[in-house]
Amino acid sequence: MLKRQSPGAPKHRRDPAAHGAALPMSHNGSRSFFNLSQLVLSAGQIKPSPALKHSKINYFEVEIVDVQSKKQICIVDKVPPASTVLDVKHKFHKACPQWYPSRVGLQLERNGPFLKDSISIQSLAVSSIITLYFTDLGQQVGWTTFFLTEYTGPLLIYLLFYIRLSTIYDQVESRKSFRHPVVHLACFCHCLHYIRHLLETLFVHKFSEGHTPLKNMIKGCAFYWGFTSWIAYYINHPRYTPPSFGHKQVSYAALAFLMCEAGNHFINVALAHQTNSGNRTCFPSPTYNPFTWLFLLVSCPNYTYEAGSWISFTVMTQTLPVGIFAFLMVIQMSLWAQKKHKLYLKRFYPEVRRKAAMIPIIF
């Protein structure tokens, strides 16, 4: 006896494909296309972008290639993603001990800039293998050593001429000649200038851990030491003649020299305090100290005061070697000031856009 099916009950239709039966041609083709589409979607989209998912990379391999010969020097393997360029230099030094980290220059491209030590390796990678070009920067020295050597020489050299060694001047003539007070004042001012530089190098300026080629220190020492010898020889010579306008010229020039030295020191302290406090969002502003008010007119007042010191020293001693040295120093410091001014314009445009680089009159 058959049961009558309730009119409201759903009718279950048998699917022939579930039991292995063949489907009609049209249904079979659409079914295959549907399955293929699902397979492609489940596999993920095909992206032509070469971007690297750093989170899935455990280590990088850094290939070091000579920038001139294009030959591979070594491969630094197992570099963690959090490593920096400095870490790669240390690993490279272990593989090649003749090149210590400070003399290793690494570039991402052959003609590109040298990479800073603080750059992350992960930011350079587009794959698990990174190629860096190596340049031997030569023997390096630290910045503190550089400035201490450069400034200690003039201090000692000038004193040797001041005491009038027998190997430099005629002793008979030295005993007979009278030393004008400007000679003693010039020695005091010259020594004060370089002692200030030495103390600021040790206790005020904060240098990075970077280095500079040894040849730069040799050139700097040759410039400062050579000019100091020439300047000291003339000022301390037994036949040295005092300035034309006498005591007034010496007094006013010495006062201007001391003011420039004080201003230079206070500007350097203000710049060092800004760096130490971590306030890099705004340009240094003048304080209650009147020597810092020059910040209102120029972006590099330390160079302005340095140039003022040597110009005052030239007027005070009235000697040709000092004048030539002051002229060259003004040119060099103006170039440094222009370079810094451009950097300040990028970082602190609203604050420095109406300022001069070093000379207040020239905008």
Side-chain angles (χ1 to χ4, degrees):
M1 187 173 178
L2 298 175
K3 292 183 179 179
R4 295 181 62 182
Q5 198 170 25
S6 173
K11 296 181 180 180
H12 298 280
R13 296 182 180 180
R14 296 175 64 188
D15 188 359
H19 297 278
L23 290 172
M25 193 64 184
S26 59
H27 292 286
N28 191 16
S30 62
R31 192 77 170 177
S32 300
F33 178 77
F34 176 77
N35 292 337
L36 179 61
S37 300
Q38 290 294 104
L39 179 63
V40 172
L41 291 174
S42 63
Q45 296 180 352
I46 300 175
K47 296 182 179 180
S49 174
L52 179 66
K53 294 181 179 180
H54 303 297
S55 59
K56 295 183 178 180
I57 299 296
N58 294 327
Y59 295 101
F60 290 104
E61 288 186 358
V62 180
E63 179 188 21
I64 308 295
V65 179
D66 185 79
V67 70
Q68 298 294 337
S69 63
K70 300 181 183 179
K71 294 181 179 180
Q72 183 188 94
I73 300 176
C74 72
I75 293 180
V76 181
D77 57 353
K78 294 184 178 181
V79 179
S83 300
T84 61
V85 173
L86 182 60
D87 297 328
V88 174
K89 290 182 179 181
H90 283 290
K91 289 180 177 290
F92 178 59
H93 173 59
K94 291 182 180 179
C96 304
Q98 68 272 27
W99 291 309
Y100 50 90
S102 61
R103 70 182 296 169
V104 174
L106 296 178
Q107 302 162 276
L108 194 59
E109 300 176 356
R110 289 190 64 197
N111 297 325
F114 290 110
L115 299 174
K116 295 182 179 180
D117 291 343
S118 58
I119 294 179
S120 172
I121 289 297
Q122 191 174 11
S123 64
L124 304 175
V126 294
S127 67
S128 60
I129 300 178
I130 307 171
T131 300
L132 297 179
Y133 294 93
F134 161 75
T135 300
D136 184 8
L137 301 178
Q139 191 171 357
Q140 305 285 301
V141 293
W143 285 109
T144 302
T145 304
F146 176 90
F147 289 113
L148 289 179
T149 305
E150 193 175 66
Y151 297 143
T152 303
L155 179 63
L156 299 178
I157 290 173
Y158 197 97
L159 291 175
L160 292 177
F161 283 90
Y162 177 73
I163 61 177
R164 291 183 176 178
L165 294 176
S166 58
T167 55
I168 301 176
Y169 303 111
D170 180 73
Q171 291 298 303
V172 177
E173 190 175 12
S174 298
R175 293 192 188 98
K176 291 181 179 180
S177 62
F178 169 75
R179 288 202 187 193
H180 194 274
V182 70
V183 176
H184 305 290
L185 182 61
C187 180
F188 169 78
C189 292
H190 191 276
C191 293
L192 176 66
H193 177 78
Y194 285 101
I195 289 174
R196 178 184 63 80
H197 273 304
L198 290 172
L199 293 177
E200 288 178 352
T201 300
L202 293 173
F203 304 108
V204 177
H205 298 301
K206 301 297 179 182
F207 302 104
S208 63
E209 295 182 357
H211 297 76
T212 185
L214 178 62
K215 61 181 180 181
N216 289 346
M217 188 180 75
I218 294 175
K219 290 191 294 185
C221 290
F223 177 78
Y224 280 97
W225 296 15
F227 263 104
T228 299
S229 301
W230 191 23
I231 291 170
Y233 176 80
Y234 271 81
I235 296 177
N236 296 286
H237 198 280
R239 298 182 183 179
Y240 168 76
T241 55
S244 303
F245 296 97
H247 179 71
K248 287 186 177 181
Q249 179 178 342
V250 173
S251 300
Y252 290 138
L255 180 61
F257 178 87
L258 295 177
M259 291 180 63
C260 289
E261 287 294 302
N264 202 339
H265 172 70
F266 288 121
I267 293 295
N268 289 331
V269 171
L271 293 173
H273 178 72
Q274 180 210 19
T275 303
N276 293 339
S277 62
N279 183 15
R280 300 174 182 268
T281 59
C282 60
F283 186 75
S285 57
T287 63
Y288 62 89
N289 189 337
F291 289 103
T292 62
W293 294 351
L294 199 56
F295 272 124
L296 296 171
L297 301 176
V298 298
S299 59
C300 301
N302 52 329
Y303 294 141
T304 307
Y305 282 122
E306 183 79 8
S309 294
W310 286 112
I311 293 174
S312 302
F313 194 77
T314 302
V315 176
M316 182 178 64
T317 58
Q318 195 175 314
T319 53
L320 180 63
V322 182
I324 296 175
F325 180 73
F327 176 74
L328 295 177
M329 288 293 291
V330 170
I331 293 177
Q332 180 62 73
M333 285 182 291
S334 64
L335 296 176
W336 289 340
Q338 289 291 340
K339 185 177 180 180
K340 277 193 173 183
H341 186 68
K342 291 179 180 179
L343 295 176
Y344 287 151
L345 284 176
K346 294 180 180 179
R347 295 180 56 190
F348 316 110
Y349 175 73
E351 293 91 342
V352 301
R353 64 188 179 93
R354 293 186 178 275
K355 301 179 189 295
M358 189 181 82
I359 303 175
I361 302 176
I362 302 177
F363 289 90

